[in-house]
Amino acid sequence: MRDLTATQRMQRILELLQTRDGVHVSELAVEFAVSEVTVRHDLSELARQGLVARVRGGVRPLARGHSEIAFDVRLRLQAEEKRAIARAAAAMVGDGEAVALDSSTTAYFLARELRGRRELVVVTNGLLIASALTGSPGITVLVTGGMLRLPAMSVVGDLAADMVRTTRIDKGFFGARGLSLDHGLMDLNPEEVRIKKEMAAACTQVIGILDGTKWHRTALLPFVGTEHVDAIVTDTGAPPELVEAWRRRGVEVVIERPSRRPRPPEHLPRLYRGLQAVATHGAHTPPNGV
């Protein structure tokens, strides 16, 4: 595999770790036809992004089978910040609108904030986001079809992309693994990035919903360029210098202060527990992309 970019090499490394316990610098140098110094640089970047664990002579996956933290674990991280972001984002949604929510955990909190709205249409590829809106008589939920990705509890693929292309949406709310002034909102999994791109392209307004920790990260794949981001809703952990830099680009940045009284963790619906049980007991699911 010659003439790959750094991003393509790192993507391939993560793919190899889906089915292996580790990869070594020397074998990667041969596969990519590059120097071991170049490979070490790629591995250091992956480790910096929190996607792999460095070991002597190479890297290993963070968890067997995938390098992506499960939805229920992510839901507990920066939970109060995400709740605050969700409240502020919900204030941007009016009755009668059509909105898109991706499969992020922040979108899950936003869905819960929207449950009392009237004549709202929600388009989502997140199964738990759709589940959070169950029993809301004023909301019509459109779930994209496609292949299940268990870590994100999302559906992705051609069916999802085809469905989104035929819709027109007022506002889209997107979580991200990181962001960059040069590249915009960024994420990790190619299938998730693809559906995020399609959803964002269907939206009149694109709004990032990112907790303060995401401002210090980038990821492999951009899904919305900086010039197409209308607003970002975040918390007080966002670095002021980067907030101002985004504002100078014409992006509205809304900063919300999280509650000082942490609440108990969210109890995910039976749907999630059931699918997790199936996966734990060995049912086959397609390997996750990265």
Side-chain angles (χ1 to χ4, degrees):
M1 303 180 69
R2 295 174 178 270
D3 301 322
L4 298 181
T5 66
T7 296
Q8 290 171 330
R9 291 194 302 270
M10 289 188 284
Q11 175 68 30
R12 176 58 180 159
I13 291 166
L14 291 171
E15 289 172 353
L16 290 171
L17 291 174
Q18 297 299 312
T19 56
R20 297 174 55 175
D21 292 328
V23 291
H24 297 280
V25 171
S26 57
E27 68 176 301
L28 293 173
V30 172
E31 176 166 351
F32 298 146
V34 296
S35 70
E36 292 190 4
V37 172
T38 298
V39 172
R40 290 192 184 94
H41 181 272
D42 292 343
L43 300 184
S44 295
E45 177 61 20
L46 288 170
R48 186 189 70 79
Q49 293 186 30
L51 304 177
V52 300
R54 288 301 302 268
V55 295
R56 184 177 180 83
V59 292
R60 62 171 176 78
L62 294 179
R64 188 173 184 85
H66 57 78
S67 297
E68 184 174 356
I69 302 173
F71 191 97
D72 60 334
V73 177
R74 288 186 287 119
L75 199 65
R76 298 186 184 99
L77 301 176
Q78 286 78 48
E80 291 308 316
E81 289 81 357
K82 292 174 183 177
R83 287 190 178 101
I85 291 166
R87 288 193 298 271
M92 304 169 82
V93 178
D95 289 344
E97 291 189 321
V99 300
L101 303 182
D102 67 2
S103 60
S104 64
T105 53
T106 310
Y108 178 81
F109 284 110
L110 175 53
R112 293 178 65 85
E113 292 288 331
L114 294 175
R115 288 184 293 185
R117 297 305 173 88
R118 301 176 62 184
E119 298 182 2
L120 192 69
V121 176
V122 175
V123 180
T124 184
N125 73 315
L127 298 182
L128 294 183
I129 281 71
S131 179
L133 296 169
T134 300
S136 301
I139 300 178
T140 299
V141 182
L142 303 179
V143 182
T144 63
M147 180 184 71
L148 172 67
R149 289 195 65 250
L150 192 59
M153 286 297 291
S154 64
V155 285
V156 296
D158 290 337
L159 289 175
D162 290 345
M163 181 270 194
V164 172
R165 289 192 197 107
T166 64
T167 61
R168 294 308 304 168
I169 303 168
D170 295 304
K171 295 168 184 170
F173 295 87
F174 300 91
R177 186 175 179 86
L179 70 168
S180 159
L181 277 170
D182 295 326
H183 302 295
L185 305 183
M186 310 179 75
D187 219 312
L188 171 64
N189 183 279
E191 292 291 347
E192 295 288 350
V193 164
R194 181 184 176 194
I195 188 61
K196 284 173 184 275
K197 283 183 176 179
E198 297 285 356
M199 292 170 72
C203 295
T204 301
Q205 291 182 275
V206 173
I207 301 161
I209 44 176
L210 313 168
D211 69 75
T213 65
K214 307 299 173 52
W215 291 76
H216 301 283
R217 300 177 184 171
T218 59
L220 288 177
L221 303 169
F223 62 89
V224 177
T226 304
E227 68 277 14
H228 298 301
V229 178
D230 295 286
I232 296 173
V233 186
T234 188
D235 63 83
T236 50
E241 67 279 6
L242 290 180
V243 168
E244 288 306 312
W246 276 85
R247 285 173 171 163
R248 287 195 295 270
R249 295 287 186 96
V251 177
E252 178 186 5
V253 181
V254 178
I255 299 175
E256 192 75 6
R257 183 176 299 278
S259 171
R260 294 184 179 180
R261 295 182 178 179
R263 285 184 270 175
E266 297 287 333
H267 293 290
L268 289 173
R270 189 175 302 173
L271 168 68
Y272 182 78
R273 299 194 299 271
L275 286 173
Q276 285 289 335
V278 170
T280 301
H281 287 86
H284 175 71
T285 56
N288 298 317
V290 286

